[in-house]
Amino acid sequence: MIRLAAFDVDGTLTDGGIYLDGEAGEWKRFDVQDGMGLSLLARSGVTLAIISGRYSPVTERRARELGIKHCANGVGEKLPILQELARKLGLSSEEVAFGGDDVNDLPCISWAGLGVAVQNALPEVREAADYVTRRSGGAGAVREMAEYILAYNRSEGA
């Protein structure tokens, strides 16, 4: 059973675009259906986490809006963060899912019991994943991953 679902941000929860205004403003586009998928996962008892390599106040805001308490924002290596969170929650790697799109997500995708790549992930990331979404990052891929986890957990007797 998956008890922790963690996600990359840029390219997974978003389409990978970062909009800068030349001052201090930054915008990212998040898909509302992805947000609902995350809410459904949380309501089912799955703990949610965001682990992003790039620091962004927008990421922190989105985590707060979705009630995601575990938000590692602007980290160099993601795997130690994921492993420490799993340890604190008393979970094995088999109880962890991770979704990502780029080479810095590979260690987490390989370690997790369910490693997921979004459709537009790099080829080596898709190859390493247990599941590849039909949808692209920022366009429903996280909702698809959430539905996959919910179905998987139901089949495991959750």
Side-chain angles (χ1 to χ4, degrees):
M1 181 187 322
I2 300 298
R3 298 186 188 281
L4 168 63
F7 303 87
D8 168 53
V9 177
D10 297 321
T12 304
L13 279 166
T14 75
D15 63 6
I18 300 168
Y19 305 90
L20 305 173
D21 68 3
E23 301 293 325
E26 176 181 332
W27 297 269
K28 295 183 185 193
R29 179 192 169 281
F30 294 92
D31 187 288
V32 295
Q33 290 182 354
D34 286 347
M36 178 56 74
L38 292 171
S39 294
L40 293 171
L41 271 179
R43 281 188 235 155
S44 78
V46 174
T47 300
L48 302 177
I50 289 175
I51 305 175
S52 181
R54 182 178 179 280
Y55 174 78
S56 172
V58 176
T59 295
E60 291 176 354
R61 176 179 174 187
R62 187 64 174 151
R64 279 192 311 274
E65 289 175 353
L66 294 171
I68 298 173
K69 293 176 179 60
H70 305 285
C71 179
N73 191 7
V75 299
E77 291 185 49
K78 297 179 182 185
L79 183 57
I81 303 293
L82 182 62
Q83 289 174 324
E84 177 62 15
L85 179 56
R87 187 193 66 72
K88 283 182 180 177
L89 296 171
L91 303 176
S92 70
S93 64
E94 292 303 310
E95 297 171 292
V96 176
F98 186 87
D101 74 308
D102 214 331
V103 293
N104 60 339
D105 299 318
L106 276 170
C108 292
I109 287 171
S110 297
W111 180 81
L114 175 61
V116 179
V118 297
Q119 181 58 47
N120 58 321
L122 293 177
E124 58 266 41
V125 176
R126 289 193 313 266
E127 189 174 303
D130 300 303
Y131 178 73
V132 178
T133 64
R134 293 179 311 280
R135 299 179 197 153
S136 292
V142 170
R143 175 64 175 264
E144 185 180 334
M145 182 177 166
E147 290 173 356
Y148 185 90
I149 292 168
L150 290 168
Y152 175 82
N153 283 352
R154 279 192 299 272
S155 74
E156 292 290 308

